[in-house]
Amino acid sequence: MANEEDCRTALTRVAERLAEVDDDKLAEHVVERTISVRIPDLDVAYRTRLHQGGLDGFTPTDKPRSAQVRLTVSSDDLVALANDELNPARAWASGRLKIEASIFDLLRLRKLL
């Protein structure tokens, strides 16, 4: 099982990868949203804000349910996703990545992944 530091590193890697997306593509598909990532096996959650400039830093939160887009993933799967060892669509289809969001947010996020 990955530890909390591994997960924070993985979240940073995801934010860095999003920063590499073309500015025009990002502007086309991104609407400002709050995002939480809950890691149940470590009993921790993080929150960030997605906007046309990318992602703000991830900060610990005790209210992950208040975010507009909510992700739930195990620590090992989060690290695998960040390292491109696990495909996000396959993780979601197999239940390893749970996403709670509006249908419109899901469609927008799909285009960025």
Side-chain angles (χ1 to χ4, degrees):
M1 178 170 75
N3 62 35
E4 193 170 342
E5 184 177 328
D6 296 332
C7 291
R8 288 191 62 91
T9 300
L11 291 171
T12 299
R13 191 172 298 123
V14 169
E16 289 169 350
R17 194 172 312 142
L18 187 61
E20 295 172 0
V21 173
D22 179 77
D23 290 340
D24 291 335
K25 183 176 180 180
L26 199 60
E28 180 182 344
H29 298 293
V30 170
V31 175
E32 186 171 320
R33 292 287 184 258
T34 55
I35 298 175
S36 68
V37 179
R38 191 171 68 84
I39 308 164
D41 56 317
L42 297 179
D43 196 29
V44 296
Y46 296 93
R47 185 179 177 106
T48 188
R49 184 177 62 95
L50 175 67
H51 49 86
Q52 291 185 354
L55 280 175
D56 290 344
F58 285 89
T59 57
T61 183
D62 58 350
K63 297 181 182 179
R65 302 267 330 140
S66 66
Q68 294 164 308
V69 177
R70 297 170 302 280
L71 308 174
T72 303
V73 62
S74 74
S75 58
D76 288 337
D77 286 341
L78 175 60
V79 171
L81 285 164
N83 291 332
D84 283 333
E85 298 166 356
L86 179 61
N87 178 286
R90 287 191 181 131
W92 175 77
S94 66
R96 294 169 69 179
L97 170 64
K98 293 180 178 68
I99 304 172
E100 297 175 75
S102 74
I103 188 68
F104 298 111
D105 288 337
L106 289 172
L107 291 172
R108 283 187 198 103
L109 288 172
R110 180 182 60 92
K111 292 180 182 180
L112 290 175
L113 301 175

